[in-house]
Amino acid sequence: MAGYTPDSLVTVRPFTHRSEGDTVILGDLDRHVFVAIPAEGLDILESLAAGNTVGHTARLYQEKYHDTPDIEDFLEALEQEGFIGEASAVDAGEVPEVRQAHWRWRFEWLSPRAAQRLVSWPVLAFCGLLMVVAAAMIVDDPGVLPKPGNALLFPTHFAALTWAWITFAMLGLFLHELGHLVAARAAGVPAGIGMGNQLWVLVAQTDMTAIWMKPKRQRYLAFAIGMVVDGVQTALLVFFIWSAHRGWVSPPEWAVLLATAVLLTPLARIIWQLFFFLRTDIYYIIATAFKCKNLMTDTDNYLRNRWARLRRSPHIVDQSGIPPGEMRVIRWYSLLWFFGRFASIVFYVLVLLPVFWGYVYQFILLLTGNDTQFSSFDFATVGILVFLINGGGLMLWLRGMYRGARARRRAARSRRVDEAAPTPEPAGIA
Amino acid sequence: MKKLSVRRLEPVKTSAAACP
């Protein structure tokens, strides 16, 4: 860490910036790091980049704003994020590294122009029309909607239809993320699709952090497009099932059963948007609307602080650096956070448990020697596979909670040991 | 003394669960 004296010359690494009211967003596109600084901080950076010393830069600031800047702290913070360094340190390559995830699918062949056409107003308006028509069909015939308890218990061709269902579910998921990638490409932002995890669930993820450099309208579109893709998937499936119910088309029975089961997946993804304790697409839209820089982490810390205060525990996260306006949003969002927790429990009871129980019930019938709906082949292959996916998620979740509790107990123990020690050293808590 | 804050922006990663 360099100490900056008034005579110091500072090397400013290449950055892009965008003004947003009284703050400026700085982006280091090579390292994929983005920070927000007060607008007047940009004057300091530009003065340093022009070759002025730290002392001269501070004087220029004083003349313009009639206030003394805490330039030392500001520069140290920027250095930590890798935006500046002393010339010698930058030459030596001592800039903080940022670990890049390995993204497999970038779809380099899709040009920004083609992407812009795919998310143009006429296309979006047409998608909206499809959704309105589908909504009217659902009102007309609510029977088109799947019932979680039996939609996946196909009475015929169980194994084949379950494999087909998993294939379509994965395809739909991929199209949802592809929508985000296309919107990011249309905005001219690098993006890629990869695999990640949220809680215990394996997820497909689109990383488009550089969207921070784009105006609000393009960010809204990049976040909302996933729900448009899910809405269109829902609409097309509803058209098919509704027409079959009406007798307008007469597909084989298994095709209607499969379409009804596949319809569960975009509907589940739309409901999933209400889980405000996760970084869902709607979460990013809310964070964008209220100009929050890191709403989820700030909300987590806020709730942790509230909890610590209730327990009169001294472990409080310092949130004094957050502007008062943003703090108000965080307090308000913490209510949504609880609503999201509640919604996920309701979803569990109304959707996941019936699905899970449907399989378990057939398994119990088998164990008790009763007639089951499944053939032994069905049981041996797909029933067990789906059981593993659902049960595996549950197991991982429980294991995570157990390990978390164990780590907290260990941390508490090592804290007690530190407090009892005659010479308290600042110990790292593993 | 005017304090100038530097706040790291969160990564933007949209995700969808890989169901049900």
Side-chain angles (χ1 to χ4, degrees):
Chain A
M1 179 64 66
Y4 292 95
T5 66
D7 296 332
S8 294
L9 281 171
V10 175
T11 298
V12 179
R13 301 186 67 248
F15 68 90
T16 58
H17 73 276
R18 182 174 63 81
S19 291
E20 194 177 74
D22 53 2
T23 58
V24 169
I25 308 290
L26 302 180
D28 181 337
L29 294 177
D30 285 344
R31 292 166 54 250
H32 232 57
V33 175
F34 301 84
V35 298
I37 61 170
E40 58 268 32
L42 187 61
D43 288 340
I44 292 178
L45 264 185
E46 288 181 333
S47 165
L48 293 170
N52 291 322
T53 63
V54 170
H56 184 60
T57 297
R59 272 196 301 281
L60 288 175
Y61 181 100
Q62 246 161 332
E63 284 167 15
K64 185 168 174 182
Y65 296 104
H66 311 295
D67 200 348
T68 311
D70 184 351
I71 198 162
E72 177 117 359
D73 275 2
F74 179 59
L75 294 182
E76 296 218 339
L78 279 175
E79 184 184 351
Q80 266 184 351
E81 298 291 2
F83 281 84
I84 62 169
E86 285 209 298
S88 59
V90 171
D91 291 342
E94 293 172 8
V95 174
E97 270 300 308
V98 171
R99 205 166 58 83
Q100 287 280 345
H102 175 66
W103 297 105
R104 254 169 304 187
W105 298 304
R106 289 188 167 280
F107 297 92
E108 303 282 9
W109 49 266
L110 179 70
S111 74
R113 262 187 87 75
Q116 281 162 12
R117 255 177 244 138
L118 282 172
V119 295
S120 60
W121 283 115
V123 174
L124 293 176
F126 180 67
C127 292
L129 181 67
L130 292 182
M131 288 185 247
V132 169
V133 173
M137 286 178 174
I138 291 172
V139 171
D140 171 64
D141 175 10
V144 299
L145 292 176
K147 289 168 192 58
N150 62 12
L152 296 176
L153 289 176
F154 306 107
T156 57
H157 308 92
F158 176 82
L161 285 178
T162 301
W163 282 112
W165 171 73
I166 287 178
T167 306
F168 276 111
M170 291 296 163
L171 182 68
L173 166 87
F174 190 72
L175 287 175
H176 173 111
E177 289 307 318
L178 193 58
H180 289 303
L181 185 132
V182 170
R185 181 70 39 90
V189 165
I193 298 177
M195 300 303 284
N197 71 301
Q198 260 188 1
L199 301 183
W200 68 89
V201 179
L202 191 65
V203 295
Q205 271 187 335
T206 304
D207 186 337
M208 48 176 176
T209 301
I211 199 93
W212 276 112
M213 300 315 297
K214 296 296 168 184
K216 267 187 174 181
R217 201 173 52 85
Q218 289 182 315
R219 279 188 278 163
Y220 283 138
L221 178 62
F223 300 140
I225 196 80
M227 283 178 277
V228 173
V229 171
D230 287 338
V232 169
Q233 285 178 34
T234 300
L236 295 178
L237 290 162
V238 165
F239 293 170
F240 177 70
I241 301 163
W242 187 85
S243 305
H245 282 192
R246 273 294 177 106
W248 289 9
V249 291
S250 41
E253 190 199 12
W254 61 263
V256 179
L257 289 171
L258 178 60
T260 306
V262 172
L263 181 54
L264 255 185
T265 58
L267 288 176
R269 269 198 298 276
I270 291 169
I271 292 171
W272 201 45
Q273 294 294 335
L274 297 178
F275 298 175
F276 294 112
F277 58 96
L278 299 172
R279 285 182 164 97
T280 62
D281 298 349
I282 289 185
Y283 159 77
Y284 281 117
I285 289 173
I286 292 173
T288 299
F290 292 102
K291 298 181 180 175
C292 294
K293 309 305 178 211
N294 196 345
L295 179 58
M296 189 61 76
T297 302
D298 292 342
T299 301
D300 279 349
N301 286 336
Y302 170 72
L303 288 170
R304 227 176 280 265
N305 285 348
R306 290 291 298 254
W307 179 235
R309 235 168 280 153
L310 275 178
R311 293 165 55 226
R312 298 178 189 285
S313 156
H315 300 285
I316 301 276
V317 181
D318 178 18
Q319 294 196 299
S320 61
I322 299 173
E326 214 174 305
M327 213 55 223
R328 272 197 298 276
V329 177
I330 290 164
R331 278 194 286 272
W332 172 83
Y333 191 79
S334 67
L335 295 177
L336 269 186
W337 189 96
F338 278 108
F339 172 82
R341 285 283 180 189
F342 176 72
S344 75
I345 292 168
V346 171
F347 179 74
Y348 245 91
V349 172
L350 294 186
V351 179
L352 290 192
L353 278 181
V355 169
F356 199 50
W357 172 246
Y359 292 116
V360 170
Y361 182 67
Q362 294 296 321
F363 196 61
I364 291 172
L365 286 180
L366 176 79
L367 291 180
T368 52
N370 286 298
D371 274 350
T372 69
Q373 184 187 320
F374 295 170
S375 73
S376 56
F377 174 71
D378 294 341
F379 268 121
T381 58
V382 186
I384 289 173
L385 173 84
V386 176
F387 188 85
L388 280 178
I389 288 177
N390 288 285
L394 206 59
M395 285 293 292
L396 282 175
W397 182 47
L398 293 172
R399 194 179 70 167
M401 286 202 294
Y402 169 71
R403 287 185 171 179
R406 206 174 52 178
R408 273 194 296 276
R409 270 203 305 275
R410 231 191 347 241
R413 251 205 310 275
S414 72
R415 257 204 306 273
R416 275 200 296 276
V417 169
D418 292 341
E419 285 160 7
T423 51
E425 288 286 319
I429 294 170
Chain B
M1 192 77 137
K2 169 81 172 157
K3 187 152 175 50
L4 300 164
S5 62
V6 176
R7 298 181 62 206
R8 170 79 80 104
L9 302 176
E10 68 182 336
V12 180
K13 292 179 185 176
T14 63
S15 50
C19 184

